[in-house]
Amino acid sequence: MSLRIVSRPILTACRPVSAVTSQLSHSYYPRPTHLRPAIITRGNTTDNSRYFSHKMAPVPPTMKCVYINKTGGTEVLEYKTDVPVPTPIDGNILVKNDFVGINFIDTYFRSGLYPAPQFPYILGREGEGTIVAVGEGDTLGFQVGDRVVYMGESAYAEYTIAPAARAIKVPSSFKPGTAAASLLQGLTALTLVREAHPVQKGDWVLVHAAAGGTGLLLCQLLRAIGANTIGTVSTPEKAALASAAGATHIVNYSHEDVKARVMELTEGKGCIAIFDGVGQSTFDLSLECVARKGTMVSFGNASGAVPPFTINRLTAKNARLLRPTLFNYVTTREEFAGYTEELFNFIEKDGFDVRVHEVYPLTQVARAHQDLEGRKTTGKLLIDPSK
């Protein structure tokens, strides 16, 4: 399904200025008369690569993006060609995106499962590119020309404002796109095994959707720890990917009884930790598979939101139930930088594989959402905002 292309001028932006107004901040996405285009002249071109050249072109007054004006299916995604390029405010940087990560949280905002702060609202939570302008205040030493990856909002665009505190320089050894493909899902996987349930060598762990973006990274981390990982998948192809990533046992839920297989492997004890990013369709199964004094971590809603839960259900096994979000694990600059450094070390030094399913043109974001929600993908989905 293609996006609806609209070319009328859009003079508002996608960041709230208060809780009681839907007007958009002029300091974030100013009207064209307020723009301050950045002309980049510093640095020499040391590489002819599109991605790592330090000789930048002037920033244009408008850009392409995808936003929503209401919630719903993929038909609400609108491709715009003339949205004003934002100007960075204090503590922020302006990044020209080369790659943008697609995550399930984007579909939650699009569908209305999570409320958008206002309309129109540009989707997207992470991107990789080059800094083309720096705001006032403390921007942590970032400079125009720096290659960075960031977590922020409004990433489905050619240019995005990002907080300097949520940006990290991309290692020079990384191939283009690796940082965007690994940041949000990699940090999710890392904080799950470090904080949601500190996994130990020899632990039995169940990972749902083991061939997804987060699932493949979880399997690799759990292999490094020395855990016994049971991964659930839906196809033989996904089974091969999860196994290669480190899952020691595979259960194909399309024709196998997951609970029976888990209990067989664990000698009836169940798993001490369960990482469930699927949500509604696997929640009850996960509770049945958790071990006594184990931890059930529900970190996603891929199949829908989990319905209201009776807490007394936990008493049968003295089990713990956790519903974490990544953003509460990396709230401070120290947390964000520390976990990102650890993640990048796993990729650089330990050879972690960051699998990219496909790089979609910005004009085909609807197809990307359909593929993700339809469970047609393995690994990470990226957007090329130049197309």
Side-chain angles (χ1 to χ4, degrees), residues 6-336:
V6 181
S7 60
R8 63 181 184 273
I10 303 298
L11 300 182
T12 54
C14 300
R15 187 177 184 180
V17 294
S18 75
V20 296
T21 177
S22 63
Q23 295 301 311
L24 303 169
S25 171
H26 290 183
S27 63
Y28 189 71
Y29 281 131
R31 297 177 184 271
T33 56
H34 295 168
L35 288 173
R36 297 174 297 190
I39 308 297
I40 286 68
T41 57
R42 65 176 291 275
N44 296 317
T45 302
T46 58
D47 187 322
N48 290 327
S49 164
R50 165 192 165 194
Y51 304 105
F52 291 97
S53 172
H54 283 201
K55 195 171 184 178
M56 305 297 297
V59 177
T62 59
M63 67 179 183
K64 296 175 286 187
C65 74
V66 169
Y67 71 42
I68 58 173
N69 248 319
K70 60 182 178 180
T71 58
T74 55
E75 73 281 354
V76 304
L77 295 164
E78 298 186 32
Y79 174 73
K80 302 292 183 178
T81 60
D82 54 2
V83 173
V85 172
T87 300
I89 57 177
D90 286 358
N92 288 343
I93 56 178
L94 177 64
V95 179
K96 184 181 187 297
N97 293 318
D98 290 317
F99 297 95
V100 173
I102 298 176
N103 297 285
F104 266 108
I105 193 172
D106 305 339
T107 70
Y108 303 160
F109 279 106
R110 190 212 71 224
S111 67
L113 180 61
Y114 291 177
Q118 78 286 310
F119 296 111
Y121 183 62
I122 300 178
L123 299 173
R125 294 278 164 153
E126 63 182 337
E128 173 186 333
T130 304
I131 297 176
V132 294
V134 177
E136 301 293 332
D138 184 7
T139 53
L140 303 178
F142 285 114
Q143 300 180 27
V144 167
D146 286 344
R147 180 85 181 160
V148 296
V149 63
Y150 65 86
M151 288 197 325
E153 294 187 57
S154 303
Y156 284 17
E158 289 184 285
Y159 295 86
T160 299
I161 293 290
R166 292 291 179 272
I168 292 286
K169 289 184 180 180
V170 177
S172 59
S173 63
F174 276 25
K175 295 179 180 179
T178 297
S182 61
L183 186 67
L184 197 148
Q185 291 180 336
L187 291 179
T188 296
L190 189 55
T191 54
L192 287 178
V193 303
R194 289 280 188 261
E195 300 210 36
H197 181 93
V199 179
Q200 305 297 316
K201 182 178 181 180
D203 282 350
W204 282 93
V205 180
L206 177 63
V207 177
H208 287 295
T214 304
L216 289 173
L217 291 167
L218 269 171
C219 288
Q220 292 178 79
L221 286 169
L222 291 167
R223 176 172 58 187
I225 293 170
N228 299 300
T229 304
I230 304 172
T232 68
V233 299
S234 59
T235 68
E237 295 76 17
K238 291 183 177 182
L241 288 172
S243 181
T248 44
H249 303 278
I250 300 294
V251 182
N252 187 329
Y253 61 80
S254 65
H255 64 268
E256 292 185 89
D257 185 321
V258 176
K259 180 183 176 182
R261 184 68 176 135
V262 166
M263 292 304 171
E264 176 188 354
L265 289 168
T266 62
E267 299 179 342
K269 297 177 182 179
C271 291
I272 197 66
I274 297 179
F275 297 118
D276 186 346
V278 177
Q280 186 179 55
S281 66
T282 54
F283 183 81
D284 288 337
L285 170 64
S286 294
L287 281 179
E288 292 173 359
C289 292
V290 72
R292 183 179 65 88
K293 297 194 290 184
T295 304
M296 156 64 175
V297 184
S298 178
F299 68 94
N301 311 286
S303 67
V306 175
F309 172 76
T310 302
I311 198 169
N312 284 346
R313 292 176 63 186
L314 300 175
T315 60
K317 300 178 182 179
N318 281 10
R320 290 177 289 273
L321 175 63
L322 189 66
R323 180 48 174 102
T325 67
L326 167 62
F327 306 100
N328 283 328
Y329 286 135
V330 293
T331 300
T332 69
R333 173 65 184 179
E334 292 73 22
E335 290 169 333
F336 176 75

